[in-house]
Every structure is written in C-alpha cells, then in structure tokens.
C-alpha cells in the first residue's frame, strides 16, 4: 500500500500522527519530516510518504472532530507518540478508540517519547502497574507484544538533525511497515539515493563553480565593500547612541538605558559595552522604577520596608514589592490620592483622597472597606499598634476610627496635618503641620495635651518637611537645615526633638525635602537628589548624589530611613542605601578583619556554584571560629573547617567534592560531606621544611593529582596518593623576604612564574621546560594571570602598562598605557579579563582589543584594622565558570558581581521597565522602528 505509486494508493495519507500538543509538538513535526524524506526514490520525488499531522489546538473547538474522523478514515496507519501527557489527553484517547473500533491493533505503531512501557507476557497485555505512557483504554488491544520505537532520548526543545544516526534508525523502523519493505532494503535505498544525490550535486557544483568564479570575483568585491560600508554605518550609529546615552544618564536613566542597549545591538563595540557597564554601575542605590498611569501624588513604605504604596492623581493605589518586580495589589478611590499609610503589621493599607474619602484595603483578603468620609481633602493618616486609624483633613479635622472601621470620635483642631502618628503605646496622637506647629491629643478622647500654632518657617523661599515619626521638623534655607522644636507645655516635656545637624548643601535651589527618623535628609533640586547623613561627633555628614531621575516632585523615606522613594511625573524611583551596587549581590556573608597586616582572603569557586574562602566571619562564636568556609547558593548552608591560622591558596577539585587548601609548607584536602568539611590528607612540599614556601596557586587535575606554585617560584606536582610533592620547576629565589608571583592554567599544564629580574617565565609543567620569557620593556611585572586554557597571559606593569601576551604567536596582542596599580583575574576561556586596583576599582577589559570598559568599586567596609594599602589589597577576587565575579573583603563581605553583557542588559531593562517609543526611535536612531522591542 504505502510503497505503491500515488495512483495505486487506497488512502490519501500513509499514516496519521496522534500526539500530545503540550508535550510532543516539536518531536511530532520532526518525525513527520523524517518519514517524508526517508528512502525517496529520487531527488525529484517531493516526499516518500504522506503523513497527516494536525498542529492546531483541537481542545479550543470540539466541532473539529468530524474533520479529524475524515482524516483518520483516509489514513493507512496510526502512529501514536506515547507519553504520560498523551495518555491523559482526551483527544488522543478519542483518536485511539476510533482506530481500535476499525482496524484495532493492526497498522498501529507506537513511538515512546516519555514515561515507561512494559509488557506482561503472562497476562498477554501491557503491565499496567508500570506502564505510564499509554491510556488504560488500550487494555486488551494487542494479543502479542508490539514492537515499539524509543524516542525518549530526543529533546523537545532541540530535536536535533534529521540525519542523526539514532533518529534515522527509528525512522527506518517506522517506515519499513509503511512502505511494505524490509528495513535493510529501505536503509540501502536511502544510502544509495544519498550517494546518487551527492554525485549529482558534486557535478553540478563543479560546473556552477567554474562559471561562478570568473563572474563572482567582481561581485564578491562589491559585496565586501557594501558589507564594510554597512558595518561602518552601524558602528557610527552605535557610537552615537552610546554617547547620547552617557549624556542622558544623570537625568533620564530609563531612556539612556534603552539607547545603550540599542547601541550594543547595533554593533558590539567597546564603546557600547563600556556604556552598558557605566549605566549598570551608576546610581548604585537605585533599585527600580515604578510606572503609573497618572501623575503620582502619594507614597508610603510599609514598616518592615518590604512593600511600597503608590497613589496617583486618578485615584488609583498600587502596592509593590520594594524591588519593583511584583505588583501585590491594586485599589482605588473616587478622588486624587492625597495620603497612604500601612498598618503596623503591614497587612492593611489606608488611603485618603482629595474628596475626603477614606478606604482601608485588606492586603490578605484583597478587599476594600470605605469609612465615613472627612469634610475636606485628606492630608495625612496613620495607624496605631492596636489597629485603630487616625485621619486628618486639610481643614484640621481629626477623626479616630476603630479597627472595625467605626468612627470613634472627630474633632476640629485647625492643624492640617503633614504627619499623623500614634505615640506612647497608642495613648496619644501627634499631628504635625508643614509650618512648624502641631498638637498632641489623648486617645480616644482627643483631649488637647499640647498645641502650637507657631509659624516656624521664614518668609520667602524655603522647603519644609516632617519625619515619619513626627519628631523631626525642619526647613531648608540657603542650603542649611534649620529645625525649631514644638513649644513645650508647662510640666510636659517637648515631644519633638531638634533634628540633628546636617552638612550644608551645594548652592542649588531646593524644590523638595524629606527627613527620616534616623538622621537622614533628602533634598530634591533642579538637577536631581542629594542625600545627606547627619553629622556626628568628630565626623562630617556624608553627601550622596542620586542620579538617573529628573527633578523630583515628591520624596518619602521609609520608617527606618534606609529606603527612599522619589517621584518624577508618572514614575516612582525606589532607592536602597544598604545596596552598594546594582551589579553586586550580597549573600549575608560578613567577614571579620582580625589581621593587623595587609591581607586579601584566599578565594575559590567550584563547578556547582559553590564558593570557598579563608577568613574568620563576623559574629562567629569564639569556640566555633574557623578559617575555611564553603557556601553554596543551592541551600546547603555554610560549611566550616580548617585547622590553621592562614590559608594562602584554595581550589576545588573538578567535581567540586574536595577543597584543596594551601599554606606554608603543605597543602590539605578537605572533603565536602553533607553540612561539614572533613579533613582527608596533608601533602608536604618537597625541599627543606624551614624554607619560606607559601602556596600561591593550586590547579587540581581530573586524575586526582595537583599542580601548585609556591612563593619561592617553584612549581610542585602532588600525585594522587603521594604524601610529598615532587618539584617540576625549581625555585627561583632563596630569599625568605622576597616572594615571587605565579599563575597556572586551569588544566595545570602551563605555569607562569616571575623571575628575580621582574619578567615572567613560562613553563611546560609536564617536562619542566621553560618555553618563553615575557618582559614589559622597562617595567617590572606587578601582576599577571594565565587564561584561555593557557594560551594568553595578561600582565600589569609597575608603570601602568596592561598587556596581553599570546603564547601561541609569542607576541603581544595589545598594550594599554592606562595606569592601574592592579591585580588580574580572568575567566577560564580568557574572554573576560578583570583588574582590581588598590583603590577598589574593578575594571573589565576587552580581551581582543585592550579597550578599558570600566566597572564598579568594591564597597568600603565599615571598619578595617589594617588601615593602609587601599581596599583593593584587602580583597580577594576570582571569576567562576559561569562568568560571575566573586569578591571577599576582610572587614566587608563576600559578594557576587554581574560582569556579563547579558546581565547588564537584563538589569537595565528592569530599570527602564518599558521600550523605546516609535518617536524616540526615529529621533535618536533615525530609521524606521523595528518590530522587536528593546526589552521583551
């Protein structure tokens, strides 16, 4: 039937493919194309078999079943792609039942793509306790065990090539009964056809090539010139977009981010990469930007700093997680939102609008309760610890509501209320206005205890603010914050402390002001935001410039003062002062600084994402202090070990199960077992035991042996079971006061060792033979690193030269004359190269061109005992196999850093939270906008 000519066929289709659309769409299409192409009689034949495959979603339209019945009746065989998803599919079972009612098991072929299939020879049926890929409705359908094809090895996401030998065998198994010919004949025919086709193709290509060579030379030249002109045009546009992004970044980081991404997509130039890097590292405290459909008019943080409420001119209120990635709730009131505030537990949110409406939204139940309205526009509100709510309107009416929503009492006080807050365990209510006055009332009677209508602000230009707790009021005049307290009542202490002293601000006109309860001030100016920390005894207050947003119209601190929200039109920017960088990730791993000398903690990364370091931890119990620590992001916890004061080098075994720790005169192996490190063995270094030999670098091999270097310039090899190393390269110095730098390739086959003349010698570790010697003219090499499988050497010189030496070509690929004062590390493939300066500046370099691409700074720790040398000399740094940089700073913490372009683009898209508009594209790029968005 199937092997006959088209005119002799009794069915339109040779086979009907039945499958689960959710599980096997790609596999089904791949199988259909394989059957159609396999064993064609000639290259002119369109297809060898006609296979019916329905790619539509049948579940959306049950009326399609009559059409499916017609195609089933017009098919000569039934191929079932069996898996647990198809076994549970109503449509697949319906197609099987239709076929069973007709031909039964005859002409049914099974292809297993998932699950299990097992035949019970005793019962003469499938073993239904272990078979998971077939529906139970097929019980009793086969009298003998059917032959089935196994495609479980094939990936649904990437089925692979049609010419894959395993796939061809499966296709041949299915095609043989469809063609009515033995499998061996079909395979032979398919091979013969391929050979014949190849001969025809070769002959045709020879003729075409001969004709094309002469005519094509001129065309190739024209195409090359065209391609080069297009590349130069793209490069020019890329550089223009990058430059525009840098010009816009301080005032409009969202647009600048989108232009920088398009600059990189236009041409992956060093300028575009450097711009992406700079935009990713600028504004380190910026967390996210929240969009709003209308201009934003009210802001509030929850007491735990985990959520933020945003109210707008249209009456909408949105509750976001503080990282801006999750919208937790939405609600609305009829008028413009003028005040929002969270309950003490953060489970309820109160909002007031310009029409006096008050609503309380339950964030757990997602319900809004409308309370009795105020006479005028709501100006402020606040929750007490017991759940009661106080609301003040612009006419000075104070209303007190129970947690149930019932109004307890209302009083006209005359204080419009910039801040309303419960005090003294909810026994008093403080209302502060925006001109320096305020009142204190008893709860729930609302009797006046203290009141002041004093106008504390001067005439003329000024901005004033009250902290969330109401105790700090101040106004800004000529760059100086002045803070008069509330007048005291006799026999009653002052309720408002004078705000702390802040440093004078630069001579910029202030347009907005916010004060925190913990002594922090944010000032909105025409050029952005300046944040000042209060001055303490003996220390000047710190000033920080927050860039990337336009002139703020609204500023609000969280209760802790560690977070700030700023508004510019329909965008709210969220800032976190505990976040030191947008490209760095903290993992809660603080390190102590117990050294009175310059020390950078030894650091290593493993193949499974784990990181190890040698340094004591902060707040670690004295009786449990350990030098070795291993941490994994997969939740294994912090593993501790070590029995020595100071380890100088660390490395994981290729499988990540063993940590090698080098120190003076020996190297230890610690096995990662469950939640602890277990010491296995110690290998001592060859030579005299009183020599000055600290391990510098360790390169474990897959066979269990180790290659390591010591600071006397020697290269050692430790065999898997040896108790003592053997020396492959002799030491370069016997001076105990002078150490030599060294580096190893990842596989341990190549070693780079500083010699006593300040140059670098390169050795083949296996033979101990010196292959090359590299020198920076007139400079001593201060730092270097082998990379790219030992094919590249990156060197930093004493006079600021940074260079890449190609070991294969034995020449410098490039030199950069920008001063670094740096240490060097690289990814294993050599494509990412980083330097760390004494100042703590991390810099990424273009490994191909030597262009400096920039980078962030290592955060300065709160304290350090060393006091000299710069933060860079107190930091260990290493790059893992995934391209993530890890740093460990004594007195600071262990951080991971995003140093890939993909991670920068992802972070900038999160900040932008939109795409370029068509108008922006035409203005800045000057072409027709593409169909694809900048950020998906």
């Amino acid at each position: 039937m199937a092997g006959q000519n088209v005119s002799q066929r009794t069915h339109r289709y040779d086979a009907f493919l039945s499958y689960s659309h959710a599980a096997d769409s790609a596999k089904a299409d791949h199988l259909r194309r394989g059957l159609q192409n396999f064993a064609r009689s000639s290259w002119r034949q369109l297809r060898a078999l006609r296979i019916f495959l329905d790619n539509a979603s049948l579940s959306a339209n049950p009326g399609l079943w009559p059409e499916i019945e017609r195609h089933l009746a017009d098919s000569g065989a039934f191929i079932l792609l069996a898996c647990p998803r198809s076994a549970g599919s109503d449509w697949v079972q319906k197609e099987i039942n239709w076929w069973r009612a007709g031909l039964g098991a005859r002409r049914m072929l099974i292809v297993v793509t998932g699950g299990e299939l097992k035949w019970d020879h005793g019962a003469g049926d499938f073993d239904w306790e272990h078979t998971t890929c077939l529906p139970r409705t097929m019980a009793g359908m086969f009298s003998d065990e059917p032959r089935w094809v196994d495609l479980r090895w094939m990936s649904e996401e990437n089925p692979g090539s049609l010419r894959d030998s395993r796939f061809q065998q499966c296709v041949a198994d299915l095609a043989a009964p469809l063609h009515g010919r033995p499998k061996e004949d079909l395979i032979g025919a398919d091979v013969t056809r391929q050979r014949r086709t190849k001969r025809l193709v070769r002959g045709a290509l020879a003729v075409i090539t001969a004709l094309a060579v002469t005519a094509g030379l001129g065309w190739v030249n024209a195409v090359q010139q065209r391609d080069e002109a297009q590349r130069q045009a793209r490069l020019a546009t890329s550089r223009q977009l990058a430059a525009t992004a840098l010009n816009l970044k301080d005032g409009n980081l969202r647009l600048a981010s989108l232009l920088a991404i398009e600059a990189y997509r236009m041409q992956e130039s060093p300028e575009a990469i450097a711009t992406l890097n700079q935009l990713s590292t600028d504004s380190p405290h910026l967390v996210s930007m929240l969009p709003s459909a209308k201009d934003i008019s009210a802001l509030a943080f929850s007491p735990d700093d985990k959520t933020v409420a945003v109210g707008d001119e249209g009456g909408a209120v949105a509750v976001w997680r503080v990282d801006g990635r999750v919208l937790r709730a939405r609600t609305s009131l009829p008028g413009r939102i003028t005040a929002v505030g969270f309950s003490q537990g953060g489970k309820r949110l109160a909002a007031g609008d310009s029409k006096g409406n008050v609503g309380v939204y339950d964030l757990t139940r997602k319900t809004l309760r409308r309370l009795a309205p105020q006479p005028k526009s709501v100006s402020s509100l606040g929750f007490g610890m017991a759940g009661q709510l106080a609301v003040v309107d612009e006419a000075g009416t104070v209303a007190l509501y129970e947690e149930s929503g019932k109004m307890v009492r209302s009083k006209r006080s005359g204080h419009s209320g910039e801040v309303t807050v419960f005090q003294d365990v909810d026994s008093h209510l403080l209302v502060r206005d925006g001109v320096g006055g305020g009142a204190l009332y008893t709860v729930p009677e609302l009797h006046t205890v203290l009141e002041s209508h004093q106008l504390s602000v001067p005439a003329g230009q000024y901005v004033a603010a009250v902290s969330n707790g109401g105790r700090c009021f101040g106004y800004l005049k000529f760059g100086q914050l002045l803070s008069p307290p509330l007048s005291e009542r006799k026999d009653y202490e002052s309720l408002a402390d004078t705000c702390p002293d802040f440093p004078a601000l630069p001579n910029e006109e202030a347009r907005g002001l916010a004060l925190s309860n913990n002594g922090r001030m944010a000032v909105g100016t025409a050029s952005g935001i300046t944040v000042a920390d209060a001055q303490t005894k003996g220390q000047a207050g710190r000033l920080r410039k927050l860039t990337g947003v336009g002139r703020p119209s609204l500023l609000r601190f969280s209760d802790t003062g560690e977070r700030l929200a700023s508004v510019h039109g329909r965008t709210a920017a969220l800032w976190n002062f505990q976040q030191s960088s947008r490209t760095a990730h903290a993992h809660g791993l603080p390190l102590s600084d117990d050294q009175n000398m310059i020390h950078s903690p030894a650091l290593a990364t493993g193949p499974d994402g784990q990181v190890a370091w040698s340094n004591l931890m902060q707040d670690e119990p004295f009786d449990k202090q350990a030098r070795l620590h291993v941490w994994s992001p997969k939740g294994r916890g912090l593993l501790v070990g070590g029995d020595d004061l100071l380890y100088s080098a660390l490395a994981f075994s290729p499988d990540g199960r063993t940590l090698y720790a080098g120190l003076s005169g020996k190297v230890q192996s610690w096995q990662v077992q469950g939640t602890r490190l277990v010491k296995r063995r110690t290998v001592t270094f060859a030579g005299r035991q009183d020599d000055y030999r600290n391990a510098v670098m360790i390169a474990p091999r897959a066979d269990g042996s180790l290659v390591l270097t010591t600071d006397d310039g020697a290269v050692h090899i430790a065999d898997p079971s040896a108790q003592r190393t053997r020396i492959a390269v002799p030491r370069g110095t016997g001076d105990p006061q002078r150490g030599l730098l060294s580096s190893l390739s990842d596989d341990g086959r190549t070693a780079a060792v500083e010699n006593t003349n300040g140059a670098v010698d390169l050795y083949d570790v296996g033979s101990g033979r010196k292959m090359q010697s590299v020198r920076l003219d007139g400079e001593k090499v201060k730092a270097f690193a082998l990379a790219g499988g030992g094919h590249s050497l990156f060197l930093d010189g004493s006079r600021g030269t940074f260079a890449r030496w190609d070991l294969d070509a034995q020449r410098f690929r490039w030199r950069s004359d920008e001063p670094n004062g740096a240490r060097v590390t690289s990814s294993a493939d050599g494509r990412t190269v980083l330097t760390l300066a004494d100042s703590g500046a991390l810099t990424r370099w273009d490994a191909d061109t030597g262009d400096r691409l920039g980078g962030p700074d290592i955060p300065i720790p709160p304290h350090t005992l060393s006091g000299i040398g710069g933060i860079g000399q107190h930091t260990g740094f290493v790059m893992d196999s995934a391209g993530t940089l890890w740093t460990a700073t004594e007195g600071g913490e262990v951080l991971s850093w995003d140093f890939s372009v993909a991670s920068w683009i992802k972070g900038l898209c999160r900040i932008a939270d939109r795409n370029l508009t068509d108008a922006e594209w035409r203005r800045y790029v000057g072409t027709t906008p593409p169909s694809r968005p900048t950020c998906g």
Side-chain angles (χ1 to χ4, degrees), residues 302-304 307 328 341-350 360-367 383:
S302 61
D304 59 6
T307 51
R328 294 192 54 195
F342 286 91
S343 63
Q344 294 298 315
K347 295 182 178 180
R348 294 193 298 157
L349 173 72
V360 176
Y361 187 82
D362 190 312
L363 292 169
T364 303
R365 300 178 181 177
K366 308 295 183 184
T367 57
F383 279 99

Side-chain angles (χ1 to χ4, degrees), residues 862-875:
H863 61 277
T864 175
L865 297 178
S866 302
I868 60 171
I871 193 63
Q873 294 192 30
H874 302 272
T875 299

Side-chain angles (χ1 to χ4, degrees), residues 871-904:
I871 193 63
Q873 294 192 30
H874 302 272
T875 299
F877 73 135
V878 66
M879 183 164 284
D880 65 18
S881 57
T884 299
L885 178 74
W886 291 85
T887 63
T889 304
E890 58 173 348
E893 58 184 323
V894 178
L895 299 172
S896 60
W897 300 77
D898 294 331
F899 258 94
S900 68
V901 171
S903 66
W904 294 341

Side-chain angles (χ1 to χ4, degrees), residues 640-653:
V640 298
D643 55 9
D644 202 89
L645 178 64
L646 188 64
Y647 292 93
S648 56
L650 300 176
F652 280 98
S653 61

Side-chain angles (χ1 to χ4, degrees), residues 224-244:
Q224 289 176 343
Q225 291 180 356
R226 181 206 62 189
D227 291 345
E228 178 61 20
Q230 292 177 346
R231 191 189 72 82
Q232 290 295 334
R234 289 195 304 270
L235 179 60
T237 304
S238 172
R239 287 172 172 169
Q240 179 183 347
L241 290 174
T244 304

Side-chain angles (χ1 to χ4, degrees), residues 408-421:
V408 178
R409 191 163 279 101
S410 178
K411 177 179 181 177
R412 180 74 175 269
S413 67
H415 294 281
S416 59
E418 184 80 13
V419 168
T420 301
V421 60

